[in-house]
Amino acid sequence: MPMYKSSDDIRKSFKEFFAKRGHAAVPSSSLIPAGDPTLLFVNSGMVQFKDLFLGLEKRAYTRAVTAQKSMRVSGKHNDFENVGPSPRHHTFFEMLGNFSFGDYFKKDAIQFAWDLLVHEWGLEPERLWFTVFAGDAEWGVPEDAEAIELWKQVGADPTHILKFSRKDNFWQMGETGPCGPNSEIHYYRGEHPEDPQFNRADYVNGDGEETIELWNLVFMQFNRILVGENKYVLEPLPKPSVDTGAGLERIAAIMQGKLSNYETDLFMPIIESTRKLLNAPENDYFNVEKRGVSYRVIADHVRAVTFLIADGVNPSNVGRGYITRLILRRAARHGQLLGFNEPFLDRVIPTVIEEMGEEYPEIIMQRERILQVAREEEERFLLTLRNGENLLSEIVAELKAKGASEIPGDAAFRLYDTFGYPLDLTREVARENSMMVDEAAFESAMEQAKATSRKLSATGKMDAAAFQNARELFDALQAKHALPASGVKYNPYQATQVDTRVVGIVRDGELVDELATSERGQLVLADTCFYVESGGQISDTGSIIHYRDTSVSFRDPVEWLFRVDDTRQPVPGLIVHSGEMVKGSARVNESVVAQVDAARRENIMRNHTATHLLHAELRRALGTHVHQAGSLVAPDRLRFDFTHTRPVTAQELGEIESAVNADIFKNDSVQPFLLPKDEAIARGAMALFGEKYGDTVRMMEIDGISRELCGGTHVERTGQIGLFHILAEGSVASGVRRIEAVTGPAAYAELHKAITRLEHVAEQVKATPEQVEQKVGALLEQIETKDKEIARLRRELAKRQVENIDALVQHVDGVKIIAHIVDVPSQELLREQSDLYKSKIGSGIVALGAVINDKPSMIVALTPDLLERGFDATKIVRASAPIMGGGGGGKPALAQAGGKDASKLQDALNQVVQVVAGSK
């Protein structure tokens, strides 16, 4: 029997087992992949080590073990639709993994896996099955005979070692890059492990839940290279590596003797918390399968929502935030199916924090923000759900009026996508109205939306071919001894000018020896002081200059000049300066001066240091829940996104701006420190969501104000910023606000413009600048008084018009109708006018129109007796409004409509008469 029962014990024993075998215990990375535009979320343990496997990064260890937060909600790794109906699919899960970066390989990996499963965890060997790569003639790769023999040596039953094709047992990072055979470990969960009639080979990678995959060992031993159009070759890696992954949820189910992952201690506390909030019977989860599905959806989704929000992925309509919104709203919808009528997720999430906070302390630190964001999003969803119900009612009414019996799929999808209105509810409403839903068209619209969401913007990023090309350029420069293995010497912190030499010239993706006047390309230098875009700070621009005679101090005349428009690092170690040859021709190995645009850099530094001050003062003013969620540091402005769930008031903004300026006027020192990451965090340094940090980090400290991990360029003292001024504050996503601001000369220019405008307004109102506020207030009071008088006179005029009501009444089949255009400036007065006419007509229909703000509006009101006779104001406006290019709705007694074409307003009112005449 398994020796470990609780999920905490399983996780702990896994990490301790490998730590005892020389593996560094590496904390889980954020769910947001650092520097990888190809992924929405981290979906496996190896993602944070990708650069290590590619040989682009080095760390102090060559073996690692992790319990990694993971999400699978997009692309080929998409379990979203299966969550709930399936007993073992999840959006959020924990991936246990051990890794070797050119250290041990197959022999140790297989031995470790066997020892852990059989000796440490006590799993029965006869229940274990092992799959290996069967070989592939097309790729020229033989079967993995080594893995087969190694499994036999550790004690595996030879009849339980099965061969599978590339589809099941060959792993690729992408179309190119590291790849290799893998060996999966499967586990038989039935009651007769000793009987081959039950514990059967065909269950492995087969249908059903009898035998399931437990652990995947990936042996990276090849590098797949693109050598021509759609032609690839496999080359052996100089240092083969190992990447393994085992889902904690499945392991817990096996160790705890459960057929469903949801019946383990990872999920049952959440299910129980949900049940208790409902005051449902104790076995509610187990008694009715349909309710069990909803419990499973909630249990899975609240875990996902908790960790997504903690990692800075707030609900929104785009990218990762859209996934958070989709998951949260699906959980809320299933809560309604169980019986919740009010927001409840923020009362279930504390159970997730309590159960998982010890392993992942970030959810404890972010507790209040998680709960607040979740509640506000659920409240917003319930509101949009009601709006969706209203819209669906209108759609059904219009379709029935046309004699249609099917709700179009695109309309059903619009309800789902815009309002979060589920298809099953649309189906239910359709059934109540003897209608159907075009579900095929709905699914088509859904697939199109999924395809669009998969195209996560990769602007400025490289595809696999471009990445490989950059890597080949770097390798070629090293082969020519133009660059050392460490690459370009990079130091943007000491100076804005450096003497160096050209080690490579790139034109159209190819290394060349020369770049001529007016040609565009990239120069690679041995050393550079140009900053490469990172952490929100944009790249430096400037010039690279070759002087005819570098021996003279004044360095003149210029032989050639290359204008640098951008600076990039396509692969670690390779820094390219992109731009245009302005004068002369550049050649490899020539000595040059790399010269950053110093004035531009100085403005960037002002803005970057100001973001640190702003961050600190936001946290002081609004609370420690505030964290940076994005930024832009440019020479002319700064943009700072931060976590906060409500607008920042004008008073708060004023206080924050004053506090930042007070920090500037103190002229405190701004100092960089290079130190171990753990030490920096212990000293209170703040790290940013989604940023990738090495073992040694750069911490910027503003004495007594701020400590942040940051690789950007900064002023030496806060006084160099000069001045700070906030331009705007607003929302960019649910729970994320944005401040735009300027510093230094740009701040002075903004304030100068504001003072000039103030002086101009003072002149216009005939007051001094000091008197403007009082004078404008008095003028506004005068205008308000006159507006009230105008409104009073309009009402008096309206009453007099009503006295001539008999001249406006039309009689249609015994029904009195008024269809008349009135002169009113607002919807409010249009409704008042309607009430006056209705009170005078006694019995009848009042249809009034008006042109308000150049747009036609109409209102239809019915007296009570006509309601009893079956007349409906809503049907009347829906039949009339399209004539003026609009639509409307309301209630049977009162309905309104708007349009686009004011010239058709009278025609729309005339249609009221036709509708009434045609209804009898």
Side-chain angles (χ1 to χ4, degrees):
M1 291 295 293
M3 300 177 186
Y4 296 89
K5 289 291 186 179
S6 78
S7 54
D8 285 340
D9 286 344
I10 295 167
R11 187 193 299 112
K12 183 179 178 182
S13 67
F14 184 91
K15 292 198 287 187
E16 287 181 349
F17 176 88
F18 285 101
K20 290 176 182 176
R21 288 155 180 80
H23 291 65
V26 180
S28 171
S29 68
S30 165
L31 284 170
I32 305 171
D36 189 342
T38 65
L39 285 178
L40 268 177
F41 297 108
V42 168
N43 58 17
S44 67
M46 65 79 59
V47 172
Q48 70 163 309
F49 302 118
K50 188 173 179 180
D51 285 350
L52 279 172
F53 284 122
L54 289 168
L56 304 177
E57 180 186 349
K58 291 184 179 179
R59 298 190 189 178
Y61 49 82
T62 57
R63 300 180 176 198
V65 59
T66 64
Q68 173 64 48
K69 301 178 294 187
S70 303
M71 289 282 297
R72 289 189 175 174
V73 287
S74 63
K76 67 178 182 178
H77 298 301
N78 184 359
D79 292 340
F80 186 65
E81 298 298 332
N82 293 320
V83 173
S86 165
R88 60 183 178 88
H89 281 88
H90 309 285
T91 55
F92 173 89
F93 62 100
E94 294 179 78
M95 184 68 88
L96 306 179
N98 60 290
F99 306 89
S100 163
F101 312 110
D103 190 323
Y104 62 83
F105 198 45
K106 292 180 187 178
K107 181 179 180 181
D108 287 339
I110 288 173
Q111 187 69 60
F112 290 157
W114 179 268
D115 288 346
L116 177 64
L117 294 176
V118 176
H119 302 309
E120 184 76 13
W121 283 353
L123 298 185
E124 301 164 86
E126 60 268 26
R127 291 183 179 273
L128 300 176
W129 291 82
F130 312 89
T131 69
V132 297
F133 181 48
D136 190 289
E138 180 187 349
W139 281 25
V141 183
E143 71 173 30
D144 195 351
E146 182 184 4
I148 295 172
E149 185 58 33
L150 289 169
W151 280 121
K152 291 178 183 178
Q153 289 177 15
V154 297
D157 181 347
T159 65
H160 280 212
I161 303 172
L162 308 176
K163 302 174 187 177
F164 284 88
S165 68
R166 194 172 77 216
K167 173 180 173 291
D168 292 301
N169 278 86
F170 196 91
W171 183 88
Q172 295 174 249
M173 185 178 289
E175 285 300 312
T176 61
C179 58
N182 62 286
S183 182
E184 295 176 348
I185 304 169
H186 295 246
Y187 185 85
Y188 170 70
R189 302 195 295 178
E191 296 180 357
H192 306 284
E194 74 291 342
D195 191 340
Q197 292 298 315
F198 293 92
N199 189 6
R200 296 157 46 177
D202 56 303
Y203 286 166
V204 178
N205 284 335
D207 295 330
E209 301 290 328
E210 199 81 1
T211 299
I212 61 170
E213 179 192 337
L214 183 64
W215 199 351
N216 187 15
L217 315 181
V218 177
F219 308 124
M220 296 187 198
Q221 62 187 90
F222 301 111
N223 187 27
R224 192 169 189 241
I225 299 173
L226 180 67
V227 295
E229 188 172 351
N230 296 322
K231 185 178 180 182
Y232 300 86
V233 296
L234 294 178
E235 291 185 351
L237 286 172
K239 290 186 177 181
S241 298
V242 174
D243 156 29
T244 83
L248 174 61
E249 291 74 12
R250 289 192 187 183
I251 293 174
I254 288 170
M255 305 280 269
Q256 295 171 22
K258 306 295 184 182
L259 292 179
S260 168
N261 295 359
Y262 290 92
E263 293 172 20
T264 68
D265 64 348
L266 287 165
F267 295 94
M268 284 309 297
I270 306 170
I271 291 171
E272 271 298 288
S273 175
T274 306
R275 182 193 66 78
K276 288 177 181 177
L277 287 172
L278 281 166
N279 290 319
E282 283 196 10
N283 288 324
D284 194 37
Y285 168 72
F286 298 98
N287 286 342
V288 182
E289 174 54 23
K290 194 171 183 181
R291 290 180 69 78
V293 168
S294 292
Y295 275 115
R296 287 193 289 272
V297 168
I298 292 166
D300 173 272
H301 287 10
V302 293
R303 296 203 324 159
V305 166
T306 299
F307 282 91
L308 285 168
I309 296 174
D311 279 355
V313 189
N314 286 359
S316 72
N317 286 327
V318 294
R320 298 184 178 100
Y322 178 71
I323 300 299
T324 306
R325 171 161 288 168
L326 197 64
I327 291 173
L328 189 150
R329 292 187 171 193
R330 187 168 185 247
R333 168 62 188 142
H334 278 271
Q336 288 191 325
L337 294 177
L338 287 178
F340 286 107
N341 296 315
E342 298 293 333
F344 73 99
L345 294 175
D346 64 319
R347 291 184 286 161
V348 178
I349 287 172
T351 303
V352 178
I353 297 172
E354 181 181 342
E355 292 293 324
M356 305 186 73
E358 184 177 349
E359 179 68 19
Y360 303 103
E362 62 270 24
I363 62 177
I364 296 176
M365 293 187 290
Q366 296 291 328
R367 176 190 174 96
E368 294 309 313
R369 191 174 67 84
I370 294 168
L371 298 180
Q372 187 171 2
V373 170
R375 181 172 183 84
E376 289 180 356
E377 178 62 21
E378 191 174 5
E379 289 173 342
R380 192 177 293 114
F381 169 64
L382 295 178
L383 177 61
T384 57
L385 202 61
R386 285 192 286 271
N387 291 336
E389 288 171 351
N390 293 336
L391 179 58
L392 179 56
S393 297
E394 293 180 13
I395 291 171
V396 169
E398 289 177 9
L399 290 170
K400 291 180 78 173
K402 296 176 183 177
S405 61
E406 184 176 66
I407 297 175
D410 60 344
F413 179 73
R414 188 168 66 253
L415 285 165
Y416 171 81
D417 194 47
T418 305
F419 296 98
Y421 200 78
L423 178 62
D424 60 335
L425 269 188
T426 303
R427 195 187 292 124
E428 188 177 317
V429 172
R431 190 162 47 245
E432 290 169 357
N433 287 272
S434 301
M435 302 178 75
M436 303 284 287
V437 180
D438 186 350
E439 295 193 28
F442 175 90
E443 293 297 335
S444 176
M446 175 76 83
E447 282 303 313
Q448 186 175 352
K450 285 181 179 178
T452 301
S453 72
R454 281 194 291 266
K455 296 176 181 176
L456 181 65
S457 174
T459 306
K461 306 293 185 181
M462 298 183 298
D463 58 20
F467 178 88
Q468 183 173 322
N469 183 60
R471 183 70 204 179
E472 288 173 354
L473 289 173
F474 188 32
D475 291 343
L477 289 170
Q478 288 181 312
K480 293 179 178 180
H481 304 291
L483 280 177
S486 58
V488 175
K489 185 178 178 182
Y490 177 61
N491 187 351
Y493 308 117
Q494 301 300 322
T496 56
Q497 182 173 305
V498 65
D499 292 340
T500 183
R501 64 185 179 87
V502 178
V503 297
I505 299 175
V506 182
R507 184 182 61 224
D508 298 327
E510 300 288 338
L511 282 174
V512 295
D513 294 326
E514 184 175 338
L515 195 68
T517 304
S518 299
E519 287 186 328
R520 295 196 62 83
Q522 293 87 36
L523 299 190
V524 183
L525 308 178
D527 311 75
T528 186
C529 55
F530 279 73
Y531 183 80
V532 176
E533 181 174 345
S534 177
Q537 179 176 329
I538 66 173
S539 296
D540 281 332
T541 62
S543 304
I544 298 172
I545 306 167
H546 174 65
Y547 294 95
R548 189 166 300 166
D549 184 358
T550 58
S551 63
V552 294
S553 60
F554 52 85
R555 288 178 164 168
D556 190 63
V558 171
E559 186 163 308
W560 60 258
L561 186 148
F562 179 82
R563 186 189 69 243
V564 179
D565 299 326
D566 195 10
T567 311
R568 296 283 169 174
Q569 185 169 218
V571 295
L574 178 64
I575 296 173
V576 295
H577 307 76
S578 300
E580 182 180 352
M581 283 300 303
V582 175
K583 176 183 178 181
S585 297
R587 296 173 185 83
V588 174
N589 288 325
E590 288 184 316
S591 298
V592 294
V593 176
Q595 192 169 301
V596 171
D597 183 333
R600 181 177 180 273
R601 163 79 80 81
E602 192 172 352
N603 286 328
I604 289 173
M605 292 192 300
R606 287 190 180 100
N607 286 333
H608 202 152
T609 305
T611 65
H612 287 219
L613 296 176
L614 174 61
H615 193 184
E617 297 304 342
L618 282 168
R619 287 171 61 83
R620 284 196 181 95
L622 306 180
T624 55
H625 65 278
V626 169
H627 288 275
Q628 181 173 338
S631 68
L632 171 69
V633 180
D636 57 334
R637 71 194 191 284
L638 67 89
R639 188 178 70 211
F640 190 80
D641 297 344
F642 58 98
T643 55
H644 192 54
T645 56
R646 61 171 176 79
V648 185
T649 66
Q651 180 178 341
E652 288 170 332
L653 285 173
E655 291 171 356
I656 291 164
E657 181 178 290
S658 295
V660 172
N661 279 305
D663 293 337
I664 291 170
F665 301 150
K666 288 177 186 174
N667 198 28
D668 286 324
S669 65
V670 182
Q671 292 184 298
F673 295 91
L674 287 177
L675 64 168
K677 178 185 172 184
D678 292 343
E679 182 183 340
I681 298 297
R683 288 170 62 174
M686 297 192 66
L688 305 185
F689 291 127
E691 280 296 308
K692 187 174 182 179
Y693 300 102
D695 296 329
T696 301
V697 295
R698 185 170 184 262
M699 182 184 77
M700 296 304 303
E701 180 178 84
I702 306 173
D703 190 32
I705 300 173
S706 167
R707 287 192 183 101
E708 290 193 23
L709 303 188
C710 182
T713 59
H714 291 267
V715 297
E716 293 180 351
R717 306 194 72 87
T718 59
Q720 292 171 260
I721 298 171
L723 194 62
F724 172 84
H725 176 57
I726 294 174
L727 297 176
E729 188 275 343
S731 173
V732 290
S734 178
V736 179
R737 309 295 298 180
R738 170 175 291 173
I739 282 179
E740 297 191 47
V742 286
T743 65
Y748 171 78
E750 284 293 330
L751 294 176
H752 180 71
K753 281 194 294 185
I755 292 169
T756 301
R757 285 193 294 267
L758 175 62
E759 291 173 343
H760 179 67
V761 171
E763 185 180 345
Q764 294 283 86
V765 300
K766 296 180 173 56
T768 66
E770 292 78 14
Q771 298 170 332
V772 164
E773 186 175 4
Q774 182 180 353
K775 187 64 179 283
V776 169
L779 289 172
L780 289 174
E781 285 182 10
Q782 291 177 27
I783 292 170
E784 184 179 358
T785 300
K786 290 179 180 178
D787 284 344
K788 287 179 179 178
E789 179 63 14
I790 291 169
R792 187 189 66 78
L793 292 173
R794 284 184 182 276
R795 288 188 178 94
E796 287 296 323
L797 180 62
K799 289 178 182 177
R800 293 182 184 180
Q801 289 176 345
V802 173
E803 292 173 1
N804 300 319
I805 190 171
D806 292 339
L808 301 175
V809 173
Q810 301 179 57
H811 295 270
V812 178
D813 293 332
V815 177
K816 289 190 286 186
I817 302 173
I818 295 176
H820 180 55
I821 294 177
V822 295
D823 181 18
V824 294
S826 68
Q827 295 287 348
E828 181 184 359
L829 286 176
L830 182 61
R831 282 192 294 271
E832 287 185 14
Q833 196 96 329
S834 170
D835 290 340
L836 283 171
Y837 277 95
K838 193 171 74 166
S839 66
K840 290 287 186 181
I841 200 172
S843 170
I845 297 172
V846 176
L848 300 182
V851 178
I852 300 171
N853 296 327
D854 299 324
K855 295 289 180 65
S857 294
M858 65 182 292
I859 187 168
V860 175
L862 276 60
T863 55
D865 60 306
L866 291 183
L867 288 174
E868 295 174 1
R869 291 171 58 182
F871 288 96
D872 188 328
T874 304
K875 292 180 179 177
I876 294 172
V877 296
R878 285 179 177 162
S880 306
I883 292 174
M884 58 184 187
K891 296 180 179 179
L894 181 69
Q896 292 178 271
K900 299 176 183 177
D901 188 351
S903 68
K904 299 291 186 181
L905 178 58
Q906 186 62 59
D907 293 340
L909 291 170
N910 293 340
Q911 181 65 17
V912 172
V913 178
Q914 299 299 320
V915 172
V916 174
S919 64
K920 294 294 181 181

